[in-house]
Every structure is written in structure tokens, then in C-alpha cells.
Amino acid sequence: MPTELWPPLSVIRNALETGSAVPEDGADEEPGLAVVAMPGATPGARGEPARVPAMSSLLLPLAELARRREAVAQRAFPARWAPGRLVSVLHEGRLLGVLLDRCIHGDLWQGWMAAGEADWASAFDVLLEPGDEPFEPMFGVIQAWNVITLEPSPRLCARVLGEVSATRLAAIRAVHDEWAAQAASPIAPEPGRIALRSVGGGAFTVLSGTPLGPQDPRADYQSLYRNSGLQLARALVQPEEAEASRARPQARPERPEGGWWGSIRRWFGAEGWVRPAFAVLALCVVIQNVGLLGGRDAAEEDDVRFRAVPTAPAPARADLLVRWKEGVRMDEADRLLQSISADVVGGPGGNGAWRLRVPEPVDALAVLAASPLVESAGPAQERQ
């Protein structure tokens, strides 16, 4: 028996393909209700419309929806666009969500479409989690397969309704790269199933759906959202540019150069964008803790781990503690750590200290203490 996904595809199609999301005489309509023309109705005639709840109220209980939106309102995100910010844009009377990835030229931004129908998620959709709150619930599923290009414009009436962390954005970029590389998955297609899985060679874990199978209803769902993204992009360019873009074949992004290290740098760096030290040094923790996240023997590693109560891993042994000076760049810190063969095993703690494991603690401490990049360095407390 096929799984019934919610909301029904007919409701999603109506929300995306018709202009009924914002009635022409909206002042006469009740808030939260959309008008849907009955089958056989004359185009343009109101007749006896059917009133159905708006898409946002179909996704969550109303009390939970109100709580999350109140949290977004209290957060009062700044209006400026930036990587990792979740924005709503108005297109033909409908609100569409976009997670911004990076600015590619001038005011031109690239990102991914964001939706709210978790039941319809595929292996290349990333579900935002409670740790990502507050964010608009209508846009809690990031479609890493649905790339959007747009620029700030008064026509979009854009608002920032959420923001993901640098690590979460890097994980979404890793999922996008899997889609671009057409990476095969050993997971069986199972519409409606959501699971925790590893991406980026075990560097990240994300909640996502399963791959699409033959005659999968999610293929029609993706087609609806892909068309909405194309219509949005075409509406924001000049007619001759839109014609030229239709004539060009749509190519998937090329695989990044530099192997796995090059991918990690790009996921965190956004093509050379340098983050503050406290953000980029999380990169070192990701790399050195791959064993904790998924470094078991390949024959023993689960491809999908379903959500359960997490157990805290035993803390790794550390030899030294180091605090970096403000403004230290990733490449500078990385070179210094490599010079002493240091592994980052934790941090930053409440005092901003990173925990290092080194083969020669005495020599490594002397190098760190003499470096202009280091605020302070000393032995770790757990070392006997």
C-alpha cells in the first residue's frame, strides 16, 4: 500500500500554480484561508469558492505554528542578505523561501529553494532542526537540488526569517555537492521516511529523506518546485536575458578541485570568504573528529542512523590548551597546527580554549607560546 504523504500533492500544486494565495480583494477574505475555484468554474468568476486552510496551517498545529512565528518575530533578524540567511520572497502573490548560499557577483545571490513539506523530502533535502530555530516553519526543508539565483529587489518584498550556523550551511553545501555529483545511495527509496545520515565523508550529519524510486510521487513534487524556481528567476531578469537562459542547457556544477580537503574548505569558506577564527576553527574540529562521527570500519558503518536519544562520546585525551587571538585566519592557524603535528580534539570551551593532542607536548608548547597568533597556551588539566 503506497504511503500517503502530507499535504496532498493537489494542495501543493494549487498553492504553487494558482494565484489564489493572495486574493484580489484580500480585504474581504479571512486571514489564513485561501480561495480555490471549484472544478468547472468559469475563469475569472468567483462563483462558490471552496475555502481551505493556507499551506502554512496545514504543516503544524496552530499553537505550535504561532509559537515558532512569535520566536522569529522576537529574534528580529536584520534585513541585510548574508550567507546562511533564510529569506521569504513574494512572487505572483505567493511567498517562496530561499536559503542564501553566497553572493556570486555584485548583488546577484545563489541559494536553494526552501519549503515546508517534510513528508516529501528526498535524499537531497535537508530538514532544519530545533537547534536551527528560530526560523519560519514554512521554509524548514532546504531543497539542495533546487538552485535559485536572485538579487535583492523591491519587487521581491524580501524578509529575513531565519539564519543557519556556519556548520549547518557547510553541511547543506555538502548535500548539494552529492546531488551535483549524482552520488549513488545504498538507501532504498521509501517516501515519507526521514532519517539521520552522514554526508561529506562523515564530516556532517543531516536529517533528510530517501532517494527517489521508480514512479515515485516525489518526482512530481520536485517538478512543481523546480518550475516555481525557474519562474522566479525569469521574472527577475530582462526578457532578452530570460530567452538566452532558456536556450542554454542547464549544467550541473563541476566537482570541486582539491579532493576532500578542497571540498571542506569550500563548504566552510564560500569561495574564499574568510570567517572569524571562532567560526573557521570549527573546521579543524570537524576534520580531527571524523573518527568520532563515522570513522568505523566501512563494513560496520550504518548508511542511515534513525533519530534516537544521543549518547555523549567519551572526551578525547588532550595535551595542551590554546586560545587564539581575535581575527586569526583559518590558513594561519592551520599552518601553525601542522607545524607541531597537532590534532584538535575539542573546543572552544566556555573560556574560548581549544584542546590539542600533540606528540611532543613540551616542544609544541614552546612553539605555540612564541607564536603571534596565540593569546595563551598551556598544559591540559587532564594530563598527568
Side-chain angles (χ1 to χ4, degrees):
M1 181 178 178
T3 304
E4 294 293 334
L5 304 180
W6 182 260
L9 189 61
S10 58
V11 174
I12 300 172
R13 179 180 290 108
N14 176 76
L16 292 176
E17 292 186 347
T18 72
S20 60
V22 179
E24 295 178 2
D25 53 347
D28 298 332
E29 302 297 340
E30 299 177 27
L33 293 179
V35 177
V36 183
M38 296 296 289
T42 304
R46 301 286 291 205
E48 292 293 332
R51 295 172 182 265
V52 297
M55 277 292 296
S56 60
S57 61
L58 292 174
L59 301 173
L60 289 168
L62 294 181
E64 177 65 9
L65 188 67
R67 181 193 70 79
R68 294 192 185 184
R69 286 184 169 164
E70 178 63 23
V72 173
Q74 291 182 357
R75 176 64 173 78
F77 291 102
R80 185 177 67 86
W81 287 19
R85 288 191 171 167
L86 188 64
V87 301
S88 67
V89 297
L90 186 64
H91 175 58
E92 295 184 353
R94 297 182 299 274
L95 281 180
L96 301 175
V98 178
L99 179 68
L100 300 175
D101 177 21
R102 59 195 178 98
C103 183
I104 56 179
H105 177 69
D107 290 334
L108 194 63
W109 283 81
Q110 182 172 291
W112 303 281
M113 183 79 83
E117 301 88 21
D119 274 17
W120 295 86
S122 72
F124 303 119
D125 291 279
V126 178
L127 279 68
L128 300 185
E129 303 180 45
D132 301 310
E133 291 185 352
F135 59 86
E136 166 55 48
M138 284 181 65
F139 309 135
V141 181
I142 309 304
Q143 299 174 346
W145 49 269
N146 197 1
V147 181
I148 302 294
T149 302
L150 70 168
E151 59 184 357
S153 167
R155 288 179 293 168
L156 293 178
C157 301
R159 295 179 59 198
V160 178
L161 297 177
E163 185 173 23
V164 300
S165 67
T167 302
R168 175 68 73 186
L169 183 58
I172 296 170
R173 288 173 177 153
V175 174
H176 169 75
D177 282 355
E178 285 190 356
W179 166 81
Q182 304 184 45
S185 173
I187 307 170
E190 192 170 352
R193 179 61 63 92
I194 302 299
L196 185 71
R197 71 181 185 93
S198 298
V199 295
F204 311 100
T205 56
V206 296
L207 281 176
S208 66
T210 61
L212 270 61
Q215 299 181 340
D216 198 310
R218 293 173 295 172
D220 292 334
Y221 167 85
Q222 290 192 359
S223 179
L224 289 172
Y225 269 100
R226 189 175 287 109
N227 289 338
S228 293
L230 290 174
Q231 291 172 11
L232 174 61
R234 290 169 183 166
L236 298 176
V237 299
Q238 298 298 324
E240 58 273 14
E241 295 176 353
E243 188 65 29
S245 65
R246 282 192 292 269
R248 289 193 300 267
Q250 297 296 320
R252 290 175 180 265
E254 298 180 358
R255 294 179 64 86
E257 298 180 357
W260 186 68
W261 174 251
S263 296
I264 286 283
R265 276 175 137 348
R266 191 171 60 83
W267 294 335
F268 276 95
E271 308 299 341
W273 176 50
V274 178
R275 295 173 180 268
F278 73 88
V280 298
L281 285 177
L283 166 63
C284 301
V285 177
V286 168
I287 295 173
Q288 301 298 342
N289 283 287
V290 168
L292 296 178
L293 292 173
R296 297 175 293 171
D297 189 279
E300 299 177 352
E301 183 173 3
D302 296 328
D303 294 304
V304 177
R305 297 191 299 278
F306 292 97
R307 179 66 76 187
V309 177
T311 57
R317 177 184 63 85
D319 301 307
L320 302 176
L321 297 178
V322 61
R323 296 181 183 86
W324 303 97
K325 290 185 178 180
E326 184 178 357
V328 173
R329 299 199 311 270
M330 177 180 65
D331 55 343
E332 297 174 330
D334 186 43
R335 283 194 297 268
L336 180 59
L337 294 177
Q338 289 182 9
S339 71
I340 59 175
S341 301
D343 292 338
V344 179
V345 296
N351 56 3
W354 296 82
R355 303 167 64 242
L356 308 179
R357 185 170 59 225
V358 294
E360 299 293 339
V362 175
D363 294 342
L365 182 58
V367 172
L368 292 174
S371 172
L373 307 178
V374 175
E375 182 71 29
S376 62
Q381 295 179 355
E382 63 264 34
R383 183 165 177 81
Q384 302 299 325

